């Protein structure tokens, strides 16, 4: 039987949970070493960045996120997202999803309709917007600063602004 996977993020770790060598072996990308190899596939030297493990960051995909911040320019940051492990069929579906999302982002970004800042996908050395290592797909995008606050303080104004932004995205997608 496989040992349970343990997330390293403090919010996901139980207070009395003990991390053993056996559980540490099962944690994907728990150190910066594997991240360095993946970033090299995008032409980025990981030693020039500080790496902040964000865990799943509240997302729905089951993926894991790291924020990479340049040591020489704190305004230069990337989002490294690793999708959950997948078999060959799921992996192909993930690749198709990433391709469609990136095509949409590029189309909307290139439209004449000015929007808020959208994440810009970074192409790997192979020309694809992802790297597939060990059955895990990882993508890299520019980091978009900010955080969602609607559920902390829901207001009509925030909801109206979100709907307006969604409408602008739809208008840009139609152009």
């Amino acid at each position: 039987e496989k040992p349970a996977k343990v997330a390293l993020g403090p919010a996901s770790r139980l207070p009395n949970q003990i991390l053993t060598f056996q559980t540490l072996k099962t944690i994907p990308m728990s150190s910066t070493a594997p991240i360095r190899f993946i970033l090299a596939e995008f032409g980025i030297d990981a030693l020039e960045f500080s790496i902040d493990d964000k865990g799943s960051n509240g997302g729905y995909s089951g993926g894991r996120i790291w924020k990479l911040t340049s040591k020489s320019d704190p305004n230069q940051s990337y989002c490294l997202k690793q999708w959950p492990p997948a078999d060959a069929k799921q992996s192909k579906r993930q690749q198709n999803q990433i391709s469609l999302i990136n095509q949409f982002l590029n189309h909307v970004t290139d439209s004449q309709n000015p929007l808020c800042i959208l994440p810009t996908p970074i192409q790997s050395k192979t020309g694809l917007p992802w790297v597939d290592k060990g059955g895990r797909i990882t993508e890299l995008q520019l980091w978009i600063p900010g955080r969602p606050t609607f559920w902390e303080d829901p207001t009509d104004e925030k909801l109206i602004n979100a709907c307006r932004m969604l409408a602008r995205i739809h208008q840009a997608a139609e152009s």
Side-chain angles (χ1 to χ4, degrees), residues 61-72:
S61 72
R64 200 169 167 128
I65 296 172
W66 289 265
K67 180 181 182 182
L68 313 169
T69 304
S70 170
K71 292 177 182 177
S72 62

Side-chain angles (χ1 to χ4, degrees), residues 29-46:
M29 297 193 32
S30 61
S31 73
T32 59
I35 293 174
R36 282 199 302 254
F37 293 116
I38 288 175
L39 288 176
E41 295 292 322
F42 288 99
I44 292 179
D45 182 357

Side-chain angles (χ1 to χ4, degrees), residues 1 4 10 18 21 26 29 34-35 37 50 55-56 70 82 86 88 108 117-118 123 137 142 146 149 152 161:
E1 184 172 288
I18 298 171
F21 177 71
T26 65
M29 297 193 32
I35 293 174
F37 293 116
S50 61
S56 69
S70 170
Q82 186 180 61
V108 171
I117 301 171
L118 293 174
Q123 303 300 308
I137 295 177
L142 292 179
T149 62
E152 293 172 13
N161 287 336

Side-chain angles (χ1 to χ4, degrees), residues 15-16 35 74-75 86-87 93 102 110 133 142 147 149 160:
N16 297 323
I35 293 174
N75 294 319
D87 61 27
R93 188 171 54 241
N102 288 339
D110 291 342
K133 294 285 183 194
L142 292 179
R147 64 184 184 83
T149 62
I160 290 167

